[in-house]
Amino acid sequence: MNANAWGLLALYLVVLLATAWPLGLWLARLAEGRIPAWMRRVEAPLYRLAGTDPDKSMHWAHYTLALLAFNTLGVLVVYALQRLQLWLPLNPQALAPISPDSAFNTAVSFVTNTNWQGYAGESTMGYLTQMLALAVQNFFSAATGVAVVFALMRGFAARSTAHPPGRPKDEHSPWGTDGAGAGLGAVGSIGNFWVDVVRVTAWVLVPLSLVFAVFLIGQGVVQNFDSNKDVNTLEVTAFQQPKVDAAGQPVLDAKGQPVMEDATTQTQTLPMGPVASQEAIKMVGTNGGGFFNANSAHPYENPTALSNFFQMLAIFLIPAALCFTFGRVVGDKRQGWAVLAAMTVMFVVAVIAIIPAEQAGNPLLTPLGVDQVASSLQAGGNMEGKELRFGVNASSLFAVITTAASCGAVNAMHDSFTPLGGMVPLVMMQLGEVVFGGVGTGLYGMLIFAILAVFIAGLMIGRTPEYLGKKIEVHEMKLTSIAILVTPIVVLAGTAVAVLSGAGVAGIANPGAHGFSEILYALSSAANNNGSAFAGLSANTPFYNVLLGIAMWLGRFGVIVPVLAIAGALAAKQRLPVTSGTLPTHGPLFVTLLIGTVLLVGLLNYVPALALGPVIEHLTLWSGR
């Protein structure tokens, strides 16, 4: 890494910590229900409309059912809006309805916070579909993730008594009222799902997105309801297009391929639409679904180096802030710092790995006389698939951030990265999206690994494991195992199905190891709810739309359900005092143990698959064979 890369990384981390800390304090107030009275008055009509009592805490099973019902309804609404968009308003291009398989895939994708896109947004989705279906789910899916981690925090913090010591005796708090049995004193109660979703959406996601959208508009991001505009270019552009006969049908050659002919034009179609509003929540909510097919590589989504920096900052903002929230809710700020330290170490190591891999360039181009050395005249390194206005350093950093978080937005094409450079974002997803991760999902995923880490430590010293004063017993370990293993099973089984079926292999654009990597990346992205892709895979087919849709659903809710069950089990346990035999979970030793657990358990599942893909591709590339 050069000095510019180190400087960019240092600046990013400093600004991130400075902005995440105050946000974490506010999120803690929301998690504990300590909000001003005027906010409760604003929320009250929504609760009356929904027919729910905001002062009543839910048992974990009821919380889970409410969450599943809410998200299932979201899938149905998004699917219907796509299928009906031709007859709906705000569709100035008169875009056709989305096919059933693509509509299913997209509906599941946006509801699960994956935001995988097998289509080109500007030529497929009408403005109403973009706003009412996709952007709305960007808010709700993000709020769902934060709600789950709020529930898990309450499980750790609860004392299994009528009122947790040190918590506010507020009738409007999710901790409940003394002796009422409606709060966390009720065995297995973890808060109110509807209250959590409303408060996260109204008092965190909407304000942040509004401010960020205004900033993006100032940087040049498009925000209007105009139809696409045809403009005259400064020079004539030559291109090739399919030749057609007198009837307007394409002319095919002997092999059945379209015959191409030369053509010229001096006009260009510029896409319009409400881009900035969707771009803001796309980043703040770690969603990643772009208004345009090129995502954050498109100048209308990400026009400047400053907008690029703040988009990267927005991705990690809430995940980092939730670490501070966790420390305050459980009553020990050091616990939040320990989790944050583990995330930061793994993130920095990933950045240190990817940037040199991309700066090294492609060894096959050197004998051809191609200059890949960085200088004052060029960025140097592997610039294929990257924007000149960002270069290798900012593109590589963005790739790590978006795959460490479950965002999936891209400002460069990951399919064009070097084998090792492309393996880094792949590994970041396969770790379980716990290196900061998505809003809520990253922290509750890391806490699951923390439970496993203390269990392993307990086995080594022959003592019943405890974490934050709660005994980790057989029931919690069974649920932890399910939460950790469900995603690797979905990824590896789905990859096997794809490479063994004709429909799966047909989507590969690049044969050999890279083609295998494309499929592995797609399933890793879907099951870990990331949404980025090795774009060489033609995935907008009925086979991949259904397969990836199933992987997204299982990867999301196959983890959430056991996490909420763990939260309920912990909430029902007495919180034990710290003794001389308690394993400290806030120091460097535990941070090291936690990192080792994530790498050992989270990554080893994928080592054989990685060897068949990016590893062998790297060895082949650098051996010159």
Side-chain angles (χ1 to χ4, degrees), residues 45-75:
L46 295 175
Y47 301 138
R48 286 196 296 268
L49 184 64
T52 187
D53 182 359
D55 299 328
K56 184 177 181 180
S57 183
M58 295 177 173
H59 185 268
W60 76 264
H62 298 156
Y63 197 102
T64 303
L65 290 175
L67 182 149
L68 292 175
F70 179 69
N71 284 274
T72 301
L73 179 61
V75 170

PDB file of all heavy atoms in Angstrom, residues 45-75:
ATOM      1  N   PRO A  45     -50.485   7.835  16.734  1.00  0.00           N
ATOM      2  CA  PRO A  45     -51.472   7.488  15.702  1.00  0.00           C
ATOM      3  C   PRO A  45     -51.090   6.246  14.900  1.00  0.00           C
ATOM      4  O   PRO A  45     -51.973   5.485  14.471  1.00  0.00           O
ATOM      5  CB  PRO A  45     -51.493   8.736  14.810  1.00  0.00           C
ATOM      6  CG  PRO A  45     -51.007   9.843  15.677  1.00  0.00           C
ATOM      7  CD  PRO A  45     -50.001   9.228  16.578  1.00  0.00           C
ATOM      8  N   LEU A  46     -49.799   6.036  14.694  1.00  0.00           N
ATOM      9  CA  LEU A  46     -49.371   4.855  13.940  1.00  0.00           C
ATOM     10  C   LEU A  46     -49.698   3.578  14.707  1.00  0.00           C
ATOM     11  O   LEU A  46     -50.147   2.586  14.120  1.00  0.00           O
ATOM     12  CB  LEU A  46     -47.859   4.925  13.669  1.00  0.00           C
ATOM     13  CG  LEU A  46     -47.385   6.061  12.762  1.00  0.00           C
ATOM     14  CD1 LEU A  46     -45.862   6.070  12.676  1.00  0.00           C
ATOM     15  CD2 LEU A  46     -47.981   5.907  11.370  1.00  0.00           C
ATOM     16  N   TYR A  47     -49.496   3.596  16.015  1.00  0.00           N
ATOM     17  CA  TYR A  47     -49.797   2.414  16.815  1.00  0.00           C
ATOM     18  C   TYR A  47     -51.303   2.165  16.882  1.00  0.00           C
ATOM     19  O   TYR A  47     -51.747   1.006  16.841  1.00  0.00           O
ATOM     20  CB  TYR A  47     -49.227   2.568  18.227  1.00  0.00           C
ATOM     21  CG  TYR A  47     -47.727   2.779  18.250  1.00  0.00           C
ATOM     22  CD1 TYR A  47     -47.147   3.706  19.106  1.00  0.00           C
ATOM     23  CD2 TYR A  47     -46.882   2.054  17.417  1.00  0.00           C
ATOM     24  CE1 TYR A  47     -45.770   3.909  19.137  1.00  0.00           C
ATOM     25  CE2 TYR A  47     -45.509   2.252  17.432  1.00  0.00           C
ATOM     26  CZ  TYR A  47     -44.970   3.178  18.293  1.00  0.00           C
ATOM     27  OH  TYR A  47     -43.613   3.381  18.309  1.00  0.00           O
ATOM     28  N   ARG A  48     -52.079   3.242  16.977  1.00  0.00           N
ATOM     29  CA  ARG A  48     -53.534   3.063  16.980  1.00  0.00           C
ATOM     30  C   ARG A  48     -54.003   2.496  15.644  1.00  0.00           C
ATOM     31  O   ARG A  48     -54.876   1.619  15.602  1.00  0.00           O
ATOM     32  CB  ARG A  48     -54.229   4.396  17.265  1.00  0.00           C
ATOM     33  CG  ARG A  48     -54.130   4.845  18.726  1.00  0.00           C
ATOM     34  CD  ARG A  48     -55.144   5.932  19.035  1.00  0.00           C
ATOM     35  NE  ARG A  48     -54.864   7.143  18.257  1.00  0.00           N
ATOM     36  CZ  ARG A  48     -54.098   8.148  18.692  1.00  0.00           C
ATOM     37  NH1 ARG A  48     -53.523   8.066  19.897  1.00  0.00           N
ATOM     38  NH2 ARG A  48     -53.903   9.217  17.942  1.00  0.00           N
ATOM     39  N   LEU A  49     -53.421   2.994  14.559  1.00  0.00           N
ATOM     40  CA  LEU A  49     -53.796   2.498  13.228  1.00  0.00           C
ATOM     41  C   LEU A  49     -53.446   1.018  13.084  1.00  0.00           C
ATOM     42  O   LEU A  49     -54.192   0.249  12.467  1.00  0.00           O
ATOM     43  CB  LEU A  49     -53.076   3.313  12.154  1.00  0.00           C
ATOM     44  CG  LEU A  49     -53.421   2.999  10.698  1.00  0.00           C
ATOM     45  CD1 LEU A  49     -54.879   3.328  10.411  1.00  0.00           C
ATOM     46  CD2 LEU A  49     -52.524   3.802   9.757  1.00  0.00           C
ATOM     47  N   ALA A  50     -52.322   0.617  13.645  1.00  0.00           N
ATOM     48  CA  ALA A  50     -51.886  -0.777  13.547  1.00  0.00           C
ATOM     49  C   ALA A  50     -52.566  -1.668  14.577  1.00  0.00           C
ATOM     50  O   ALA A  50     -52.463  -2.899  14.494  1.00  0.00           O
ATOM     51  CB  ALA A  50     -50.366  -0.859  13.726  1.00  0.00           C
ATOM     52  N   GLY A  51     -53.245  -1.068  15.544  1.00  0.00           N
ATOM     53  CA  GLY A  51     -53.933  -1.861  16.556  1.00  0.00           C
ATOM     54  C   GLY A  51     -52.998  -2.543  17.521  1.00  0.00           C
ATOM     55  O   GLY A  51     -53.271  -3.657  17.981  1.00  0.00           O
ATOM     56  N   THR A  52     -51.886  -1.908  17.854  1.00  0.00           N
ATOM     57  CA  THR A  52     -50.914  -2.501  18.773  1.00  0.00           C
ATOM     58  C   THR A  52     -50.708  -1.596  19.971  1.00  0.00           C
ATOM     59  O   THR A  52     -50.862  -0.372  19.885  1.00  0.00           O
ATOM     60  CB  THR A  52     -49.570  -2.754  18.063  1.00  0.00           C
ATOM     61  OG1 THR A  52     -48.702  -3.464  18.935  1.00  0.00           O
ATOM     62  CG2 THR A  52     -48.899  -1.444  17.672  1.00  0.00           C
ATOM     63  N   ASP A  53     -50.381  -2.196  21.091  1.00  0.00           N
ATOM     64  CA  ASP A  53     -50.109  -1.463  22.321  1.00  0.00           C
ATOM     65  C   ASP A  53     -48.606  -1.250  22.432  1.00  0.00           C
ATOM     66  O   ASP A  53     -47.854  -2.206  22.652  1.00  0.00           O
ATOM     67  CB  ASP A  53     -50.624  -2.256  23.522  1.00  0.00           C
ATOM     68  CG  ASP A  53     -50.418  -1.520  24.844  1.00  0.00           C
ATOM     69  OD1 ASP A  53     -49.862  -0.407  24.821  1.00  0.00           O
ATOM     70  OD2 ASP A  53     -50.808  -2.074  25.892  1.00  0.00           O
ATOM     71  N   PRO A  54     -48.128  -0.008  22.312  1.00  0.00           N
ATOM     72  CA  PRO A  54     -46.675   0.227  22.337  1.00  0.00           C
ATOM     73  C   PRO A  54     -46.047  -0.040  23.699  1.00  0.00           C
ATOM     74  O   PRO A  54     -44.824  -0.196  23.799  1.00  0.00           O
ATOM     75  CB  PRO A  54     -46.543   1.704  21.957  1.00  0.00           C
ATOM     76  CG  PRO A  54     -47.852   2.304  22.343  1.00  0.00           C
ATOM     77  CD  PRO A  54     -48.882   1.244  22.112  1.00  0.00           C
ATOM     78  N   ASP A  55     -46.854  -0.103  24.753  1.00  0.00           N
ATOM     79  CA  ASP A  55     -46.315  -0.325  26.095  1.00  0.00           C
ATOM     80  C   ASP A  55     -46.222  -1.801  26.450  1.00  0.00           C
ATOM     81  O   ASP A  55     -45.759  -2.146  27.531  1.00  0.00           O
ATOM     82  CB  ASP A  55     -47.188   0.388  27.137  1.00  0.00           C
ATOM     83  CG  ASP A  55     -47.236   1.888  26.906  1.00  0.00           C
ATOM     84  OD1 ASP A  55     -46.221   2.422  26.418  1.00  0.00           O
ATOM     85  OD2 ASP A  55     -48.272   2.499  27.183  1.00  0.00           O
ATOM     86  N   LYS A  56     -46.648  -2.669  25.543  1.00  0.00           N
ATOM     87  CA  LYS A  56     -46.635  -4.096  25.824  1.00  0.00           C
ATOM     88  C   LYS A  56     -45.468  -4.765  25.120  1.00  0.00           C
ATOM     89  O   LYS A  56     -45.371  -4.732  23.894  1.00  0.00           O
ATOM     90  CB  LYS A  56     -47.950  -4.734  25.387  1.00  0.00           C
ATOM     91  CG  LYS A  56     -48.040  -6.215  25.730  1.00  0.00           C
ATOM     92  CD  LYS A  56     -49.391  -6.785  25.348  1.00  0.00           C
ATOM     93  CE  LYS A  56     -49.474  -8.267  25.722  1.00  0.00           C
ATOM     94  NZ  LYS A  56     -50.784  -8.851  25.351  1.00  0.00           N
ATOM     95  N   SER A  57     -44.596  -5.383  25.893  1.00  0.00           N
ATOM     96  CA  SER A  57     -43.469  -6.105  25.330  1.00  0.00           C
ATOM     97  C   SER A  57     -43.914  -7.482  24.876  1.00  0.00           C
ATOM     98  O   SER A  57     -44.829  -8.080  25.442  1.00  0.00           O
ATOM     99  CB  SER A  57     -42.348  -6.232  26.364  1.00  0.00           C
ATOM    100  OG  SER A  57     -41.225  -6.867  25.805  1.00  0.00           O
ATOM    101  N   MET A  58     -43.257  -8.000  23.831  1.00  0.00           N
ATOM    102  CA  MET A  58     -43.644  -9.273  23.244  1.00  0.00           C
ATOM    103  C   MET A  58     -42.732 -10.397  23.714  1.00  0.00           C
ATOM    104  O   MET A  58     -41.527 -10.199  23.896  1.00  0.00           O
ATOM    105  CB  MET A  58     -43.561  -9.197  21.710  1.00  0.00           C
ATOM    106  CG  MET A  58     -44.513  -8.237  21.051  1.00  0.00           C
ATOM    107  SD  MET A  58     -44.227  -8.221  19.254  1.00  0.00           S
ATOM    108  CE  MET A  58     -45.601  -7.203  18.699  1.00  0.00           C
ATOM    109  N   HIS A  59     -43.315 -11.574  23.866  1.00  0.00           N
ATOM    110  CA  HIS A  59     -42.511 -12.783  23.997  1.00  0.00           C
ATOM    111  C   HIS A  59     -41.742 -12.967  22.690  1.00  0.00           C
ATOM    112  O   HIS A  59     -42.184 -12.549  21.627  1.00  0.00           O
ATOM    113  CB  HIS A  59     -43.420 -13.985  24.258  1.00  0.00           C
ATOM    114  CG  HIS A  59     -42.693 -15.264  24.521  1.00  0.00           C
ATOM    115  ND1 HIS A  59     -42.372 -16.149  23.507  1.00  0.00           N
ATOM    116  CD2 HIS A  59     -42.230 -15.816  25.672  1.00  0.00           C
ATOM    117  CE1 HIS A  59     -41.741 -17.195  24.022  1.00  0.00           C
ATOM    118  NE2 HIS A  59     -41.644 -17.016  25.337  1.00  0.00           N
ATOM    119  N   TRP A  60     -40.579 -13.621  22.780  1.00  0.00           N
ATOM    120  CA  TRP A  60     -39.741 -13.712  21.586  1.00  0.00           C
ATOM    121  C   TRP A  60     -40.461 -14.400  20.431  1.00  0.00           C
ATOM    122  O   TRP A  60     -40.236 -14.041  19.262  1.00  0.00           O
ATOM    123  CB  TRP A  60     -38.431 -14.437  21.908  1.00  0.00           C
ATOM    124  CG  TRP A  60     -38.541 -15.936  22.038  1.00  0.00           C
ATOM    125  CD1 TRP A  60     -38.697 -16.666  23.170  1.00  0.00           C
ATOM    126  CD2 TRP A  60     -38.499 -16.883  20.955  1.00  0.00           C
ATOM    127  NE1 TRP A  60     -38.772 -18.001  22.885  1.00  0.00           N
ATOM    128  CE2 TRP A  60     -38.641 -18.165  21.536  1.00  0.00           C
ATOM    129  CE3 TRP A  60     -38.359 -16.769  19.578  1.00  0.00           C
ATOM    130  CZ2 TRP A  60     -38.653 -19.335  20.772  1.00  0.00           C
ATOM    131  CZ3 TRP A  60     -38.364 -17.936  18.810  1.00  0.00           C
ATOM    132  CH2 TRP A  60     -38.508 -19.202  19.406  1.00  0.00           C
ATOM    133  N   ALA A  61     -41.320 -15.375  20.724  1.00  0.00           N
ATOM    134  CA  ALA A  61     -42.040 -16.064  19.652  1.00  0.00           C
ATOM    135  C   ALA A  61     -43.016 -15.121  18.953  1.00  0.00           C
ATOM    136  O   ALA A  61     -43.155 -15.137  17.719  1.00  0.00           O
ATOM    137  CB  ALA A  61     -42.763 -17.281  20.209  1.00  0.00           C
ATOM    138  N   HIS A  62     -43.699 -14.281  19.730  1.00  0.00           N
ATOM    139  CA  HIS A  62     -44.621 -13.305  19.133  1.00  0.00           C
ATOM    140  C   HIS A  62     -43.856 -12.253  18.339  1.00  0.00           C
ATOM    141  O   HIS A  62     -44.299 -11.815  17.267  1.00  0.00           O
ATOM    142  CB  HIS A  62     -45.459 -12.642  20.233  1.00  0.00           C
ATOM    143  CG  HIS A  62     -46.327 -13.601  20.980  1.00  0.00           C
ATOM    144  ND1 HIS A  62     -46.782 -13.352  22.261  1.00  0.00           N
ATOM    145  CD2 HIS A  62     -46.819 -14.825  20.648  1.00  0.00           C
ATOM    146  CE1 HIS A  62     -47.513 -14.366  22.681  1.00  0.00           C
ATOM    147  NE2 HIS A  62     -47.541 -15.276  21.717  1.00  0.00           N
ATOM    148  N   TYR A  63     -42.720 -11.840  18.869  1.00  0.00           N
ATOM    149  CA  TYR A  63     -41.853 -10.891  18.168  1.00  0.00           C
ATOM    150  C   TYR A  63     -41.440 -11.469  16.815  1.00  0.00           C
ATOM    151  O   TYR A  63     -41.489 -10.780  15.784  1.00  0.00           O
ATOM    152  CB  TYR A  63     -40.626 -10.620  19.035  1.00  0.00           C
ATOM    153  CG  TYR A  63     -39.816  -9.387  18.686  1.00  0.00           C
ATOM    154  CD1 TYR A  63     -39.928  -8.228  19.440  1.00  0.00           C
ATOM    155  CD2 TYR A  63     -38.916  -9.391  17.613  1.00  0.00           C
ATOM    156  CE1 TYR A  63     -39.175  -7.102  19.152  1.00  0.00           C
ATOM    157  CE2 TYR A  63     -38.164  -8.283  17.311  1.00  0.00           C
ATOM    158  CZ  TYR A  63     -38.294  -7.131  18.078  1.00  0.00           C
ATOM    159  OH  TYR A  63     -37.541  -6.018  17.770  1.00  0.00           O
ATOM    160  N   THR A  64     -41.072 -12.748  16.800  1.00  0.00           N
ATOM    161  CA  THR A  64     -40.642 -13.411  15.567  1.00  0.00           C
ATOM    162  C   THR A  64     -41.784 -13.511  14.571  1.00  0.00           C
ATOM    163  O   THR A  64     -41.603 -13.251  13.370  1.00  0.00           O
ATOM    164  CB  THR A  64     -40.093 -14.809  15.880  1.00  0.00           C
ATOM    165  OG1 THR A  64     -39.017 -14.692  16.816  1.00  0.00           O
ATOM    166  CG2 THR A  64     -39.589 -15.494  14.627  1.00  0.00           C
ATOM    167  N   LEU A  65     -42.963 -13.886  15.038  1.00  0.00           N
ATOM    168  CA  LEU A  65     -44.111 -14.015  14.134  1.00  0.00           C
ATOM    169  C   LEU A  65     -44.488 -12.662  13.526  1.00  0.00           C
ATOM    170  O   LEU A  65     -44.830 -12.579  12.344  1.00  0.00           O
ATOM    171  CB  LEU A  65     -45.300 -14.604  14.892  1.00  0.00           C
ATOM    172  CG  LEU A  65     -45.177 -16.077  15.290  1.00  0.00           C
ATOM    173  CD1 LEU A  65     -46.369 -16.503  16.143  1.00  0.00           C
ATOM    174  CD2 LEU A  65     -45.079 -16.964  14.040  1.00  0.00           C
ATOM    175  N   ALA A  66     -44.430 -11.616  14.338  1.00  0.00           N
ATOM    176  CA  ALA A  66     -44.727 -10.275  13.811  1.00  0.00           C
ATOM    177  C   ALA A  66     -43.718  -9.885  12.743  1.00  0.00           C
ATOM    178  O   ALA A  66     -44.072  -9.342  11.692  1.00  0.00           O
ATOM    179  CB  ALA A  66     -44.719  -9.258  14.955  1.00  0.00           C
ATOM    180  N   LEU A  67     -42.442 -10.177  12.995  1.00  0.00           N
ATOM    181  CA  LEU A  67     -41.388  -9.858  12.025  1.00  0.00           C
ATOM    182  C   LEU A  67     -41.586 -10.631  10.716  1.00  0.00           C
ATOM    183  O   LEU A  67     -41.503 -10.056   9.621  1.00  0.00           O
ATOM    184  CB  LEU A  67     -40.030 -10.178  12.647  1.00  0.00           C
ATOM    185  CG  LEU A  67     -38.770  -9.880  11.830  1.00  0.00           C
ATOM    186  CD1 LEU A  67     -37.623  -9.516  12.769  1.00  0.00           C
ATOM    187  CD2 LEU A  67     -38.342 -11.059  10.962  1.00  0.00           C
ATOM    188  N   LEU A  68     -41.879 -11.911  10.811  1.00  0.00           N
ATOM    189  CA  LEU A  68     -42.062 -12.725   9.602  1.00  0.00           C
ATOM    190  C   LEU A  68     -43.300 -12.290   8.821  1.00  0.00           C
ATOM    191  O   LEU A  68     -43.280 -12.238   7.587  1.00  0.00           O
ATOM    192  CB  LEU A  68     -42.163 -14.204   9.982  1.00  0.00           C
ATOM    193  CG  LEU A  68     -40.881 -14.850  10.539  1.00  0.00           C
ATOM    194  CD1 LEU A  68     -41.161 -16.278  10.990  1.00  0.00           C
ATOM    195  CD2 LEU A  68     -39.780 -14.829   9.489  1.00  0.00           C
ATOM    196  N   ALA A  69     -44.368 -11.980   9.535  1.00  0.00           N
ATOM    197  CA  ALA A  69     -45.591 -11.541   8.855  1.00  0.00           C
ATOM    198  C   ALA A  69     -45.365 -10.213   8.139  1.00  0.00           C
ATOM    199  O   ALA A  69     -45.809 -10.025   6.991  1.00  0.00           O
ATOM    200  CB  ALA A  69     -46.721 -11.413   9.873  1.00  0.00           C
ATOM    201  N   PHE A  70     -44.686  -9.295   8.802  1.00  0.00           N
ATOM    202  CA  PHE A  70     -44.403  -7.984   8.214  1.00  0.00           C
ATOM    203  C   PHE A  70     -43.576  -8.123   6.941  1.00  0.00           C
ATOM    204  O   PHE A  70     -43.875  -7.493   5.920  1.00  0.00           O
ATOM    205  CB  PHE A  70     -43.666  -7.135   9.249  1.00  0.00           C
ATOM    206  CG  PHE A  70     -43.287  -5.760   8.780  1.00  0.00           C
ATOM    207  CD1 PHE A  70     -44.247  -4.801   8.549  1.00  0.00           C
ATOM    208  CD2 PHE A  70     -41.954  -5.434   8.577  1.00  0.00           C
ATOM    209  CE1 PHE A  70     -43.891  -3.523   8.126  1.00  0.00           C
ATOM    210  CE2 PHE A  70     -41.593  -4.166   8.153  1.00  0.00           C
ATOM    211  CZ  PHE A  70     -42.558  -3.206   7.924  1.00  0.00           C
ATOM    212  N   ASN A  71     -42.565  -8.958   6.981  1.00  0.00           N
ATOM    213  CA  ASN A  71     -41.699  -9.109   5.813  1.00  0.00           C
ATOM    214  C   ASN A  71     -42.349  -9.925   4.707  1.00  0.00           C
ATOM    215  O   ASN A  71     -42.108  -9.674   3.522  1.00  0.00           O
ATOM    216  CB  ASN A  71     -40.367  -9.734   6.249  1.00  0.00           C
ATOM    217  CG  ASN A  71     -39.465  -8.753   6.961  1.00  0.00           C
ATOM    218  OD1 ASN A  71     -38.706  -8.017   6.348  1.00  0.00           O
ATOM    219  ND2 ASN A  71     -39.549  -8.714   8.288  1.00  0.00           N
ATOM    220  N   THR A  72     -43.174 -10.898   5.057  1.00  0.00           N
ATOM    221  CA  THR A  72     -43.909 -11.647   4.030  1.00  0.00           C
ATOM    222  C   THR A  72     -44.873 -10.736   3.289  1.00  0.00           C
ATOM    223  O   THR A  72     -45.000 -10.800   2.052  1.00  0.00           O
ATOM    224  CB  THR A  72     -44.666 -12.817   4.673  1.00  0.00           C
ATOM    225  OG1 THR A  72     -43.736 -13.683   5.336  1.00  0.00           O
ATOM    226  CG2 THR A  72     -45.421 -13.612   3.622  1.00  0.00           C
ATOM    227  N   LEU A  73     -45.553  -9.873   4.017  1.00  0.00           N
ATOM    228  CA  LEU A  73     -46.437  -8.903   3.379  1.00  0.00           C
ATOM    229  C   LEU A  73     -45.646  -7.980   2.461  1.00  0.00           C
ATOM    230  O   LEU A  73     -46.107  -7.624   1.369  1.00  0.00           O
ATOM    231  CB  LEU A  73     -47.169  -8.086   4.450  1.00  0.00           C
ATOM    232  CG  LEU A  73     -48.121  -6.998   3.936  1.00  0.00           C
ATOM    233  CD1 LEU A  73     -49.242  -7.605   3.101  1.00  0.00           C
ATOM    234  CD2 LEU A  73     -48.706  -6.204   5.107  1.00  0.00           C
ATOM    235  N   GLY A  74     -44.449  -7.613   2.872  1.00  0.00           N
ATOM    236  CA  GLY A  74     -43.601  -6.773   2.038  1.00  0.00           C
ATOM    237  C   GLY A  74     -43.263  -7.437   0.721  1.00  0.00           C
ATOM    238  O   GLY A  74     -43.263  -6.791  -0.336  1.00  0.00           O
ATOM    239  N   VAL A  75     -42.981  -8.739   0.742  1.00  0.00           N
ATOM    240  CA  VAL A  75     -42.693  -9.464  -0.498  1.00  0.00           C
ATOM    241  C   VAL A  75     -43.892  -9.407  -1.442  1.00  0.00           C
ATOM    242  O   VAL A  75     -43.741  -9.166  -2.650  1.00  0.00           O
ATOM    243  CB  VAL A  75     -42.321 -10.928  -0.187  1.00  0.00           C
ATOM    244  CG1 VAL A  75     -42.255 -11.753  -1.474  1.00  0.00           C
ATOM    245  CG2 VAL A  75     -40.974 -10.998   0.523  1.00  0.00           C
TER     246      VAL A  75
END
